[in-house]
Amino acid sequence: MYPRSFHYHRAASLKEAAALLSQLGDDARPLAGGQSLIPLMKLRLASPAHLVDLNFIPGTAYIKEDGDALRFGAMTRHAEIEGSDLARRIPILHDCAAGIADVQVRNRGTIGGSVAEADPSGDWAVALATLHCEIGCIGSNGERSVALGDFITDAYTTVLEPGELVKEIKVRVPAKGSGGAYLAYKRAAPVYASASAAVQLTMDGDVCKDVAIALGCVGLTAIRAKDAEAALHGQAIAGKTVTIAMEAVRAAADPQADMRGSAEYKRALVAALVKRAVEIAVRRARGEQVEVGPIYA
Ligand SMILES: Cc1cc2nc3c(=O)[nH]c(=O)nc-3n(C[C@H](O)[C@H](O)[C@H](O)COP(=O)(O)OP(=O)(O)OC[C@H]3O[C@@H](n4cnc5c(N)ncnc54)[C@H](O)[C@@H]3O)c2cc1C
């Protein structure tokens, strides 16, 4: 289907884009990679009268080291993150970028568009939820920084004000002795995951000193499995401790039955993904190189 006709605006800076969006009001949307917005427009599930294109704004696609953090410009494509040696300093980010859809989508889709879209099945919000992550925003009233946990408030809903844009995503590089893994279970490459799991932990010998666990596609937003984290915290990761943590993961998940499976199936699936991600995260924390990719049905 063709989208409704719309006016096209090419912004020269994020400031100009924000001003234009504020001026044009509710019927205007920013266009990043178009990998969510354009399909929705073709299905006429979204019919904005104005598109403000961010693609020609210089200096919005970058991966930079900044002290103990990495900064990702909003227009950085998934493929650029997948191919970046700098981003590999946080292996969970590489896992996530490399597993999104297929190469065409990864070449166009952006990290900024993904967090702004807040799709409950999206990958970025889940992986980023296990890290110390701030979303830099720019609007006509200036700039602000919002913790990811406060940024996405519901399915497809963020705290962005009308006309406000995601400018960058800032992620703290985890401490030495840390490891993480992001695993997604998919029916095929160019579809969203049936369930996904992100685990980021820090080990002190055999004992888990710190851990964050996030679940994807089993709720309206990424879910932090706090009881599962508590079960692992301060413990050696083995045997009964892991069983208790997986029970807590099943309880934390709040999935909907759909064509990807029943709610009970998704609970079991996400627990199995967390278990596997914990194993990989521990191996990485010990300095092992472990390659991770999406798991296909
Ligand atoms: C076939 C297919 C399969 C896919 N599979 C997956 C998958 O497995 N996992 C996954 O995570 N994603 C998947 N996607 C989505 C893809 O990752 C997109 O990159 C992502 O959803 C949106 O990024 P975008 O840059 O294309 O944004 P766009 O589609 O351009 O924009 C998305 C929304 O965010 C708004 N927006 C964009 N940029 C900004 C900004 N800087 N500030 C504020 N608002 C902004 C837009 O107005 C729009 O509402 C898939 C897409 C397709 C087409």
Side-chain angles (χ1 to χ4, degrees), residues 29-30 32-37 78 101 109-110 114 116-117 123 166 186 192:
R29 298 280 280 275
Q35 297 303 296
S36 291
L37 185 54
H78 310 315
T110 66
S114 295
E117 178 73 1
D123 290 287
V166 174
K186 298 180 148 203
Y192 288 86

Side-chain angles (χ1 to χ4, degrees), residues 202-214:
T202 308
M203 299 298 288
D204 183 5
D206 284 338
V207 173
C208 174
K209 221 169 67 172
D210 200 9
V211 59
I213 299 174

Side-chain angles (χ1 to χ4, degrees), residues 5-24:
S5 61
F6 55 85
H7 297 279
Y8 174 86
H9 309 262
R10 187 175 283 187
S13 68
L14 284 175
K15 217 169 161 189
E16 185 192 313
L20 205 49
L21 286 162
S22 297
Q23 190 190 313
L24 293 167

Side-chain angles (χ1 to χ4, degrees), residues 29-39 54 74 78 99-101 105 108-110 112-114 116-117 121-124 160 164-167 186 189-193:
R29 298 280 280 275
L31 174 69
Q35 297 303 296
S36 291
L37 185 54
I38 299 294
L54 310 180
H78 310 315
I100 293 174
V105 173
R108 295 297 307 159
T110 66
S114 295
E117 178 73 1
S121 299
D123 290 287
W124 276 119
L160 284 175
E164 197 175 23
L165 292 162
V166 174
K167 181 182 179 193
K186 298 180 148 203
V191 298
Y192 288 86

